[in-house]
Amino acid sequence: MLTALHYIADGLWILAMALIASTSRGALKRVPAGVRMPMWGGVRLARNLALGIMFGAPLLIGLGLSAMSSAGGLDAQGGVILFLVRVTLAGLFAVVCLTWLRGSLRTLEDEGAVSA
């Protein structure tokens, strides 16, 4: 059962990462190279760095959780809890990234840096 949960969580994480990657790629095409994208707290980062962080952080966390899940040594209860954490974080990262990207692009459109 734990093996099936591991594969299901991996699949959902891959789905979330594909969603983040495809929207980030679309933003990469829309935002000019010299534009600094707004992050949280008023900080602005270069386009490539901002999109890289928004893709890289979930990727590294997902790989770490996947390694924990496949390392073994978990009882049934621990395996189910780790499955639920992985599934929840995959969806949460996708929602946070898409929300940030929508707000960031809207801000850049209002400033005239990106065309609608």
Side-chain angles (χ1 to χ4, degrees):
M1 178 179 106
L2 291 180
T3 304
L5 291 179
H6 174 75
Y7 289 130
I8 292 169
D10 280 347
L12 291 173
W13 202 277
I14 289 168
L15 215 76
M17 291 307 300
L19 183 64
I20 293 170
S22 66
T23 55
S24 295
R25 185 169 187 250
L28 193 63
K29 290 181 180 180
R30 285 187 62 194
V31 178
V35 173
R36 299 178 67 78
M37 296 184 75
M39 301 295 280
W40 292 280
V43 176
R44 287 186 175 246
L45 296 176
R47 174 193 71 172
N48 291 343
L49 180 61
L51 293 173
I53 288 172
M54 292 307 288
F55 181 78
L59 178 66
L60 293 176
I61 291 170
L63 289 174
L65 289 172
S66 181
M68 283 176 53
S69 176
S70 65
L74 293 173
D75 59 347
Q77 184 178 5
V80 170
I81 290 172
L82 187 57
F83 166 76
L84 294 173
V85 167
R86 291 177 69 203
V87 169
T88 303
L89 283 179
L92 185 65
F93 273 122
V95 168
V96 166
C97 184
L98 295 176
T99 303
W100 165 76
L101 195 54
R102 183 179 345 131
S104 180
L105 289 176
R106 194 171 292 152
T107 302
L108 292 174
E109 286 172 2
D110 291 346
E111 294 172 355
V114 175
S115 61

